Amino acid sequence: MPVTLSRAAAPQPPSTPPSAASILLLDDPQEWPAFGHPVPLAGAAAEDPAACAWDSQVVLEGMRCAACALTVENALRAVPGVLRAEVSAASCRARVLWDPGQVRPSQWLDAVHRAGYRALPAMDSQARERRLREGRGALWRWLVAGLCMMQVMMYAWPAYVARPGDLSGETEQLMRWACWVVTLPTLIFSCAPFFSAALRDIRARRVGMDLPVALGMAISFGVSMAGTFNPTGIFGKEVYYDSLSMFVFFLLTGRLLESRLRERTAGALEAVLNRLPDSVERRGADGAFSRVATRRLAAGDVIRVLAGEAFPADGCITEGSTQVDEALLTGESTPVARSVGGAVAAGSHNLQAPVQVRVEGVGAQTRFAQIVALMESAALQKPRLVQLADRIARPFLLAVLLAAALAALFWWHAGPGQALMVAVAVLIVTCPCALSLAAPVAMLTAAGTLARQGVLVRNLQGLEALAAVDCVVFDKTGTLTRDGMALRAVHVAEGWSTGAVLRLAAALARHSLHPASRALAAAAPAPDAGWRVADLQEQAGQGLSATVRETSGTVRRLRLGSAGHADAAPQDGAAALQVVLAEQRGADRWYELARFELVEDLRAEAPAVVRALEQAGVTVQLLSGDRTQAVQRVAAQAGIARAQGGCTPQDKLVALQALQSAGRRVAMVGDGLNDAPVLAGAHVSFAFGRAVPLAQSRADFVVLGDSLERVPQTLLLARRSLQVVRQNLCWAAAYNALCVPLALAGQMPAWLAGLGMALSSLLVVLNAARLARALPTGTSADTSGDFSKTSREPL
């Protein structure tokens, strides 16, 4: 929505520490398009850059949970000039709408830094490098924890198997000191991220998911160290270095695997955003090529794109030929040939040879930018289930701390050491990591899978709505049918052949762009090269008139078009569009040579798609503004029982609302400007990538390709996604219901609690990873059963 605000002079950037000095470079307006786009303010002209807010995307480091996302959102919203902030814990991204008249990027980035996190531009190549370094650091921490755990277990094992009298007091004390020394690297190095996050939360007077874990680690080490330094004291009965080291190792193992799985399954957005190259070779005034930043390109530049590189902008090839991968833009994986004069699009890949390209569109003007904007918006949305998890995450953490304190008080009579270790087990086992991951990971994985198959999820909430759909309404023209027409039958006058009348009709039709003319031109054999067409005239909505001089010398005055235009008798009730070819014989007499029946070209996969939806328990209807006879014919070909023609946009909306009033959950599949109201009114909607922007903006799903089979595939994946979310939530609830009582009863040591916590999060991500499987393929008549088979797969 447009935002209205009073404008003020831009304040000076805040003083930042030297380590963040590079962030000040982002205050340069020339850098803003690299990680955002302008949004006109209310009442302002779109072309006035001074009257625009900026919608920027950043990647966040240090985020672990939903509580972290709420913290970052609150920090950003507190900055004057930040109009809106949305943060996703699952994708670790933030969307910030800010007014350059009141604030600069360095200021709201500094607010994130003060909250204890780090924000980097989403399109910044350094962000990818930092994430790689962070991944290597996590691997090193896991290796150190594993090595130290094995050493600790080696020193602790004799105490477990020794019989009374086998170990002297000095030997046992030596073993404790050895365990203490070996555990230090685990505590200082491997556990450092947990402690730093916990300290950050304490300073900010908030509760995050790392706080209970860090408390558990600190208590375990503190109790064990007290027993080591003072074996005769209240904590000297037992030490817990082995439990601590095992707990840390299991936790780091789970987080490492979880991170890798999330990158593989829900990382489609990052793959799309990083598709454009950071730099490209541009030809200078002297004709030499030099490498420049992609964001410095402008229309008219000539660039050289090497084999294996992505095209950084829309343009036209001026030199060379190659094969281009346009899977991201069209949903089709087959490479297409492009030579001189061929158009290339930003985000597609050059597969074969270097080519030179003249830039025609950059930045927000490209189709790639529109796709990125849709995916960015989806990645930051919070469906109902995610919002529920966010709301309960922080209260749940407070309940965890309270439960741990009560457990320690209850067990204090059995010994302080045991009481504190019971509290540690409660802190660890109840950490709601699995709960916070249950819904967002599954939703983003499904969205990533659809993106790889050419379906962009504009609204994550649409996945929830689509799973409940029991009725799908199709538009006809451009949706069930292709944009063109096809020749069904030819009726010729006596003495004429089909080939002859088609050649005559095509001689005129090739001079028109009308769909009927293009269909006749495509169906006819090539006319004689010596034929001459003169005095051609086209009457809009009627047809063509021309004189055709054949190679034999014969001159014919012809008309091609409607029956009225050709002065022929109309045929009422005809199901197909009829085009008449007539020849003038005499001053005012026209003789009918042929009558062509043209029908809309039904998509080959349409009947199988309808059957697949019906087998999935979904009813299918057709609403169209076309003639009733044509609509009924298309419905019969597609296998749709209920069809209504002659609908205005308002009629479609009324029919849709009637279905909704009857309790039906309706999905609308449409294309075109007149579909926008009904797309907006449906519970969930699809628009095809060739649709006008208004139709796309109202749709929950945008199909980049041209195949209807993506509709039932998306429906089945949405159902599977909601099943996975429910399974994840049930697992998280069952895990807590089982393990919390065991921890409170003192029957779960810290290492086992850590293992359970790591496994719970890992199982949630593994379950969501099943959504990354390829969608079912093929909807031809012999494979239409694939959809129903897939819908019954065990989950």
Side-chain angles (χ1 to χ4, degrees), residues 416-495:
Q418 183 177 355
L420 290 177
M421 292 311 296
V422 169
V424 167
V426 173
L427 285 170
I428 295 169
V429 81
T430 55
C431 189
C433 293
L435 179 65
S436 67
L437 290 172
V441 170
M443 292 290 189
L444 286 179
T445 301
T449 300
L450 289 171
R452 288 190 291 270
Q453 300 297 326
V455 181
L456 297 183
V457 182
R458 179 183 171 273
N459 181 12
L460 275 184
Q461 187 69 43
L463 283 171
E464 291 187 43
L466 184 60
V469 159
D470 57 9
C471 179
V472 174
V473 177
F474 283 97
D475 177 47
K476 179 179 71 70
T477 306
T479 303
L480 283 176
T481 63
R482 301 188 188 278
D483 292 332
M485 307 189 77
L487 178 64
R488 187 175 74 174
V490 181
H491 306 282
V492 299
E494 186 177 351

XYZ file of all heavy atoms in Angstrom, residues 416-495:
558
model
N 22.488 -30.850 45.529
C 22.543 -29.705 44.614
C 23.010 -30.080 43.210
O 22.486 -29.559 42.219
C 23.540 -28.768 45.299
C 23.503 -29.154 46.737
C 23.262 -30.626 46.759
N 23.985 -30.970 43.123
C 24.492 -31.358 41.807
C 23.421 -32.012 40.964
O 23.213 -31.644 39.796
N 22.731 -32.973 41.549
C 21.676 -33.646 40.802
C 20.545 -32.686 40.461
O 19.979 -32.721 39.362
C 21.136 -34.832 41.596
C 20.086 -35.637 40.842
C 19.620 -36.852 41.627
O 20.136 -37.150 42.706
N 18.641 -37.569 41.076
N 20.189 -31.801 41.390
C 19.106 -30.845 41.140
C 19.435 -29.942 39.956
O 18.588 -29.692 39.079
C 18.856 -30.010 42.394
N 20.660 -29.435 39.910
C 21.036 -28.552 38.811
C 21.102 -29.298 37.478
O 20.751 -28.744 36.431
C 22.375 -27.892 39.116
C 22.351 -26.848 40.245
C 23.741 -26.313 40.514
C 21.411 -25.698 39.882
N 21.516 -30.564 37.495
C 21.574 -31.319 36.245
C 20.184 -31.681 35.741
O 19.958 -31.774 34.532
C 22.421 -32.578 36.428
C 23.907 -32.268 36.641
S 24.618 -31.107 35.438
C 24.454 -32.052 33.929
N 19.232 -31.877 36.664
C 17.842 -32.055 36.232
C 17.355 -30.770 35.563
O 16.664 -30.800 34.529
C 16.944 -32.439 37.419
C 15.463 -32.363 37.033
C 17.273 -33.842 37.910
N 17.693 -29.622 36.148
C 17.309 -28.341 35.543
C 17.938 -28.182 34.160
O 17.300 -27.683 33.226
C 17.737 -27.187 36.450
N 19.203 -28.631 34.038
C 19.872 -28.563 32.734
C 19.121 -29.410 31.710
O 18.882 -28.990 30.564
C 21.331 -29.023 32.861
C 21.942 -29.253 31.480
C 22.145 -28.002 33.634
N 18.733 -30.614 32.094
C 18.002 -31.491 31.177
C 16.690 -30.849 30.744
O 16.301 -30.914 29.576
C 17.751 -32.844 31.833
N 15.997 -30.201 31.679
C 14.737 -29.534 31.336
C 14.989 -28.370 30.388
O 14.256 -28.170 29.412
C 14.023 -29.056 32.619
C 12.808 -28.209 32.272
C 13.617 -30.242 33.481
N 16.028 -27.582 30.651
C 16.353 -26.456 29.774
C 16.626 -26.913 28.349
O 16.186 -26.290 27.375
C 17.574 -25.707 30.306
C 17.381 -24.815 31.531
C 18.733 -24.347 32.047
C 16.503 -23.622 31.183
N 17.344 -28.002 28.234
C 17.767 -28.449 26.907
C 16.627 -29.126 26.162
O 16.357 -28.832 24.999
C 18.964 -29.415 27.040
C 20.176 -28.667 27.620
C 19.311 -30.031 25.687
C 21.300 -29.577 28.028
N 15.946 -30.036 26.832
C 14.974 -30.875 26.143
C 13.744 -30.076 25.710
O 13.050 -30.442 24.760
C 14.572 -32.078 27.028
C 13.516 -31.678 28.052
C 14.095 -33.237 26.171
N 13.444 -28.998 26.400
C 12.235 -28.234 26.079
C 12.488 -27.061 25.140
O 11.554 -26.311 24.843
C 11.591 -27.689 27.373
O 12.566 -26.937 28.097
C 11.066 -28.815 28.224
N 13.700 -26.867 24.679
C 13.972 -25.752 23.770
C 13.150 -25.929 22.490
O 13.250 -26.966 21.828
C 15.459 -25.699 23.427
S 15.930 -24.216 22.531
N 12.305 -24.947 22.119
C 11.324 -25.151 21.044
C 11.870 -24.930 19.636
O 11.215 -24.288 18.806
C 10.247 -24.124 21.381
C 10.996 -22.998 22.007
C 12.132 -23.634 22.775
N 13.062 -25.451 19.348
C 13.607 -25.273 18.002
C 12.738 -25.962 16.961
O 12.434 -25.406 15.906
C 15.027 -25.826 17.940
S 16.215 -24.892 18.926
N 12.344 -27.216 17.257
C 11.519 -27.959 16.295
C 10.187 -27.258 16.063
O 9.678 -27.214 14.939
C 11.298 -29.382 16.803
N 9.611 -26.703 17.113
C 8.334 -26.015 16.986
C 8.444 -24.801 16.072
O 7.579 -24.552 15.223
C 7.833 -25.597 18.365
C 6.509 -24.845 18.426
C 5.377 -25.735 17.961
C 6.240 -24.330 19.837
N 9.516 -24.034 16.221
C 9.659 -22.821 15.410
C 9.995 -23.138 13.960
O 9.750 -22.323 13.077
C 10.748 -21.921 16.007
O 12.015 -22.531 15.900
N 10.564 -24.332 13.702
C 10.924 -24.706 12.338
C 9.817 -25.463 11.618
O 9.847 -25.590 10.400
C 12.184 -25.589 12.354
C 13.503 -24.923 12.727
C 14.590 -25.969 12.872
C 13.899 -23.899 11.682
N 8.841 -25.981 12.365
C 7.871 -26.920 11.809
C 7.172 -26.379 10.567
O 7.102 -27.053 9.534
C 6.843 -27.293 12.880
N 6.634 -25.181 10.649
C 5.861 -24.634 9.535
C 6.716 -23.900 8.501
O 6.588 -24.175 7.301
C 4.762 -23.717 10.065
N 7.597 -22.955 8.895
C 8.290 -22.161 7.870
C 9.200 -22.974 6.967
O 9.282 -22.701 5.765
C 9.073 -21.122 8.677
C 9.171 -21.667 10.053
C 7.937 -22.481 10.258
N 9.894 -23.986 7.504
C 10.793 -24.768 6.661
C 10.005 -25.540 5.612
O 10.383 -25.604 4.436
C 11.646 -25.720 7.525
C 12.396 -26.695 6.652
C 12.631 -24.915 8.358
N 8.882 -26.126 6.013
C 8.065 -26.864 5.054
C 7.511 -25.933 3.977
O 7.526 -26.260 2.780
C 6.925 -27.577 5.783
N 7.027 -24.762 4.383
C 6.447 -23.821 3.416
C 7.503 -23.325 2.423
O 7.267 -23.268 1.206
C 5.841 -22.622 4.151
C 4.624 -22.948 4.983
S 3.216 -23.347 3.956
C 1.924 -23.398 5.188
N 8.678 -22.954 2.928
C 9.720 -22.447 2.036
C 10.269 -23.552 1.138
O 10.645 -23.300 -0.006
C 10.851 -21.819 2.851
C 10.538 -20.451 3.470
C 11.730 -19.946 4.260
C 10.159 -19.444 2.405
N 10.328 -24.783 1.642
C 10.776 -25.891 0.808
C 9.806 -26.114 -0.339
O 10.212 -26.303 -1.496
C 10.903 -27.173 1.640
O 11.829 -26.955 2.701
C 11.404 -28.323 0.784
N 8.512 -26.084 -0.038
C 7.510 -26.235 -1.099
C 7.600 -25.095 -2.104
O 7.531 -25.315 -3.327
C 6.117 -26.302 -0.485
N 7.767 -23.867 -1.613
C 7.883 -22.720 -2.515
C 9.129 -22.839 -3.393
O 9.103 -22.506 -4.586
C 7.919 -21.420 -1.719
N 10.229 -23.335 -2.817
C 11.444 -23.527 -3.600
C 11.274 -24.597 -4.659
O 11.744 -24.463 -5.788
N 10.594 -25.687 -4.323
C 10.342 -26.757 -5.290
C 9.497 -26.241 -6.442
O 9.776 -26.517 -7.614
C 9.628 -27.929 -4.604
O 10.455 -28.419 -3.540
C 9.363 -29.059 -5.585
N 8.459 -25.476 -6.129
C 7.608 -24.923 -7.180
C 8.392 -23.944 -8.052
O 8.215 -23.908 -9.274
C 6.403 -24.224 -6.553
C 5.355 -25.151 -5.928
C 4.320 -24.341 -5.151
C 4.673 -25.987 -6.994
N 9.264 -23.135 -7.439
C 10.054 -22.172 -8.214
C 10.955 -22.880 -9.212
O 11.112 -22.432 -10.353
C 10.886 -21.298 -7.275
N 11.548 -24.008 -8.794
C 12.405 -24.757 -9.711
C 11.605 -25.369 -10.858
O 12.167 -25.683 -11.906
C 13.153 -25.839 -8.946
C 14.255 -25.306 -8.048
C 15.124 -26.422 -7.507
N 14.410 -27.245 -6.559
C 14.368 -27.019 -5.254
N 14.997 -25.970 -4.749
N 13.707 -27.824 -4.438
N 10.299 -25.545 -10.668
C 9.460 -26.124 -11.707
C 8.671 -25.068 -12.485
O 7.779 -25.399 -13.261
C 8.478 -27.118 -11.073
C 9.151 -28.268 -10.344
C 9.978 -29.135 -11.276
O 9.632 -29.312 -12.426
N 11.081 -29.664 -10.776
N 8.963 -23.792 -12.252
C 8.332 -22.748 -13.038
C 7.053 -22.197 -12.465
O 6.255 -21.610 -13.195
N 6.827 -22.358 -11.156
C 5.650 -21.784 -10.505
C 6.141 -20.890 -9.370
O 6.781 -21.381 -8.428
C 4.704 -22.866 -9.948
C 3.478 -22.220 -9.292
C 4.268 -23.815 -11.052
N 5.856 -19.609 -9.445
C 6.268 -18.680 -8.409
C 5.146 -18.528 -7.389
O 3.993 -18.262 -7.756
C 6.606 -17.315 -8.998
C 7.784 -17.273 -9.976
C 8.047 -15.844 -10.407
C 9.028 -17.888 -9.367
N 5.490 -18.696 -6.123
C 4.515 -18.529 -5.047
C 4.573 -17.079 -4.598
O 5.518 -16.666 -3.937
C 4.814 -19.481 -3.871
C 3.760 -19.322 -2.779
C 4.866 -20.918 -4.354
N 3.573 -16.315 -4.979
C 3.545 -14.907 -4.591
C 3.070 -14.751 -3.159
O 3.457 -13.819 -2.465
C 2.630 -14.126 -5.538
C 2.502 -12.655 -5.206
C 1.532 -11.961 -6.139
N 1.273 -10.606 -5.671
C 0.337 -10.284 -4.789
N -0.443 -11.232 -4.293
N 0.164 -9.037 -4.409
N 2.235 -15.666 -2.688
C 1.635 -15.568 -1.366
C 1.742 -16.922 -0.674
O 1.075 -17.877 -1.074
C 0.169 -15.132 -1.501
C -0.527 -14.991 -0.169
O 0.122 -15.004 0.879
N -1.832 -14.867 -0.195
N 2.601 -17.015 0.345
C 2.758 -18.291 1.051
C 1.459 -18.749 1.695
O 1.220 -19.946 1.840
C 3.851 -18.161 2.121
C 5.289 -18.376 1.679
C 6.224 -18.311 2.883
C 5.472 -19.695 0.957
N 0.630 -17.794 2.096
C -0.662 -18.164 2.652
C -1.490 -18.936 1.630
O -2.352 -19.745 2.001
C -1.419 -16.908 3.087
C -2.724 -17.163 3.834
C -2.492 -17.750 5.214
O -1.597 -17.307 5.925
N -3.285 -18.743 5.566
N -1.186 -18.723 0.343
C -1.905 -19.433 -0.704
C -1.692 -20.935 -0.645
O -2.563 -21.705 -1.069
N -0.540 -21.384 -0.138
C -0.321 -22.820 -0.004
C -1.311 -23.430 0.979
O -1.853 -24.519 0.743
C 1.121 -23.097 0.442
C 2.204 -22.974 -0.627
C 3.578 -23.047 0.005
C 2.046 -24.067 -1.674
N -1.552 -22.740 2.090
C -2.542 -23.227 3.047
C -3.929 -23.242 2.431
O -4.692 -24.203 2.586
C -2.538 -22.359 4.308
C -1.301 -22.492 5.170
C -1.445 -21.736 6.479
O -2.525 -21.824 7.089
O -0.494 -21.048 6.882
N -4.281 -22.156 1.720
C -5.611 -22.078 1.117
C -5.786 -23.113 0.013
O -6.853 -23.726 -0.107
C -5.842 -20.669 0.569
N -4.747 -23.324 -0.791
C -4.850 -24.260 -1.903
C -5.049 -25.689 -1.416
O -5.727 -26.490 -2.072
C -3.605 -24.162 -2.780
C -3.585 -25.009 -4.051
C -4.758 -24.628 -4.967
C -2.269 -24.844 -4.791
N -4.453 -26.027 -0.286
C -4.602 -27.385 0.228
C -6.046 -27.723 0.561
O -6.435 -28.896 0.565
C -3.722 -27.565 1.468
N -6.865 -26.712 0.837
C -8.272 -26.939 1.207
C -9.222 -26.764 0.039
O -10.440 -26.898 0.211
C -8.666 -25.987 2.332
N -8.720 -26.491 -1.159
C -9.573 -26.217 -2.309
C -10.326 -27.473 -2.741
O -9.753 -28.569 -2.808
C -8.719 -25.666 -3.475
C -9.422 -25.839 -4.815
C -8.402 -24.204 -3.236
N -11.623 -27.318 -3.035
C -12.416 -28.434 -3.552
C -13.112 -28.092 -4.867
O -13.913 -28.864 -5.379
C -13.454 -28.895 -2.528
C -14.397 -27.771 -2.097
O -14.355 -26.686 -2.714
O -15.161 -27.988 -1.141
N -12.811 -26.899 -5.419
C -13.393 -26.497 -6.698
C -12.396 -25.608 -7.435
O -11.859 -24.666 -6.844
C -14.714 -25.755 -6.477
S -15.506 -25.189 -8.009
N -12.150 -25.911 -8.705
C -11.258 -25.103 -9.544
C -12.070 -24.555 -10.705
O -12.762 -25.310 -11.401
C -10.068 -25.926 -10.072
C -9.247 -25.102 -11.067
C -9.175 -26.372 -8.924
N -12.009 -23.236 -10.894
C -12.718 -22.568 -11.980
C -11.690 -22.088 -13.000
O -10.749 -21.369 -12.649
C -13.549 -21.378 -11.450
C -14.210 -20.649 -12.607
C -14.588 -21.866 -10.455
N -11.875 -22.482 -14.270
C -10.977 -22.086 -15.341
C -11.613 -21.002 -16.202
O -12.826 -21.014 -16.444
C -10.651 -23.281 -16.250
C -9.663 -24.246 -15.674
C -10.095 -25.390 -15.029
C -8.306 -24.026 -15.784
C -9.198 -26.298 -14.507
C -7.389 -24.923 -15.261
C -7.836 -26.053 -14.618
N -10.793 -20.072 -16.653
C -11.159 -19.216 -17.763
C -10.902 -20.014 -19.043
O -10.210 -21.033 -19.019
C -10.326 -17.934 -17.728
C -10.622 -17.025 -18.902
O -11.810 -16.808 -19.178
O -9.667 -16.558 -19.537
N -11.445 -19.564 -20.170
C -11.275 -20.330 -21.409
C -10.153 -19.767 -22.273
O -9.094 -20.383 -22.418
C -12.586 -20.355 -22.212
C -12.466 -21.123 -23.535
C -13.777 -21.145 -24.289
C -14.113 -19.769 -24.850
N -13.193 -19.388 -25.971
N -10.354 -18.584 -22.810
C -9.431 -18.050 -23.802
C -8.078 -17.753 -23.176
O -7.973 -17.009 -22.204
C -10.004 -16.769 -24.432
O -11.304 -17.057 -24.935
C -9.109 -16.273 -25.551
N -7.038 -18.350 -23.737
C -5.690 -18.146 -23.225
C -5.354 -18.991 -22.022
O -4.214 -18.957 -21.557
N -6.321 -19.748 -21.500
C -6.060 -20.601 -20.337
C -6.264 -22.065 -20.712
O -5.306 -22.822 -20.796
C -6.975 -20.208 -19.164
O -6.767 -18.833 -18.862
C -6.651 -21.038 -17.935
N -7.513 -22.458 -20.958
C -7.761 -23.801 -21.470
C -7.391 -23.901 -22.947
O -7.038 -24.973 -23.438
C -9.224 -24.185 -21.281
C -9.652 -24.591 -19.870
C -11.151 -24.853 -19.837
C -8.896 -25.805 -19.383
N -7.499 -22.789 -23.650
C -7.144 -22.766 -25.070
C -5.892 -21.925 -25.265
O -5.530 -21.100 -24.433
C -8.289 -22.169 -25.912
O -8.495 -20.806 -25.516
C -9.571 -22.950 -25.698
N -5.264 -22.159 -26.387
C -4.097 -21.345 -26.729
C -4.557 -20.028 -27.330
O -5.731 -19.840 -27.641
C -3.203 -22.108 -27.720
C -2.709 -23.440 -27.175
C -1.694 -24.065 -28.098
N -1.366 -25.420 -27.663
C -0.494 -25.721 -26.700
N 0.128 -24.729 -26.076
N -0.263 -26.960 -26.364
N -3.605 -19.120 -27.532
C -3.962 -17.809 -28.059
C -4.460 -17.881 -29.501
O -5.232 -17.045 -29.939
C -2.754 -16.869 -27.982
C -2.398 -16.544 -26.545
O -3.291 -16.572 -25.702
O -1.206 -16.272 -26.280
N -4.018 -18.884 -30.260
C -4.376 -18.980 -31.665
C -5.608 -19.834 -31.904
O -6.299 -20.259 -30.981
N -5.898 -20.075 -33.214
C -7.026 -20.893 -33.618
C -6.519 -21.994 -34.533
O -5.379 -21.960 -35.012
C -8.083 -20.038 -34.329
C -8.524 -18.824 -33.528
S -9.942 -17.987 -34.247
C -11.250 -19.088 -33.735
N -7.367 -22.985 -34.777
C -6.996 -24.117 -35.618
C -8.104 -24.367 -36.630
O -9.292 -24.171 -36.343
C -6.755 -25.359 -34.783
N -7.721 -24.810 -37.836
C -8.677 -25.123 -38.888
C -9.255 -26.510 -38.643
O -8.522 -27.496 -38.588
C -7.981 -25.058 -40.254
C -8.838 -25.397 -41.477
C -9.962 -24.379 -41.636
C -7.962 -25.441 -42.727
N -10.608 -26.577 -38.515
C -11.242 -27.871 -38.236
C -11.815 -28.513 -39.500
O -11.710 -29.726 -39.683
C -12.347 -27.701 -37.209
C -12.928 -29.031 -36.741
C -13.945 -28.850 -35.644
N -15.218 -28.309 -36.140
C -16.306 -28.172 -35.395
N -16.269 -28.519 -34.109
N -17.411 -27.662 -35.904
N -12.426 -27.707 -40.365
C -13.053 -28.277 -41.557
C -13.085 -27.240 -42.675
O -13.064 -26.024 -42.425
C -14.470 -28.754 -41.238
N -13.127 -27.758 -43.925
C -13.206 -26.902 -45.108
C -14.356 -27.414 -45.988
O -14.387 -28.597 -46.354
C -11.892 -26.909 -45.912
C -12.008 -25.981 -47.131
C -10.722 -26.504 -45.042
N -15.283 -26.522 -46.322
C -16.391 -26.854 -47.229
C -16.185 -26.059 -48.511
O -16.195 -24.818 -48.486
C -17.734 -26.503 -46.589
C -17.941 -27.128 -45.231
N -18.299 -28.443 -45.068
C -17.802 -26.607 -43.977
C -18.410 -28.712 -43.781
N -18.103 -27.607 -43.088
N -15.980 -26.777 -49.632
C -15.619 -26.116 -50.890
C -16.782 -26.187 -51.868
O -17.637 -27.084 -51.818
C -14.363 -26.761 -51.505
C -13.192 -26.629 -50.559
C -14.608 -28.223 -51.854
N -16.811 -25.208 -52.782
C -17.825 -25.175 -53.836
C -17.488 -26.201 -54.909
O -16.351 -26.676 -55.021
C -17.907 -23.774 -54.438
N -18.468 -26.545 -55.693
C -18.276 -27.547 -56.739
C -17.228 -27.061 -57.739
O -17.224 -25.905 -58.164
C -19.609 -27.791 -57.448
C -19.541 -28.917 -58.466
C -20.894 -29.195 -59.097
O -21.905 -28.626 -58.625
O -20.939 -29.977 -60.055
N -16.322 -27.967 -58.065
C -15.278 -27.649 -59.025
C -13.998 -27.134 -58.408
O -13.029 -26.850 -59.131
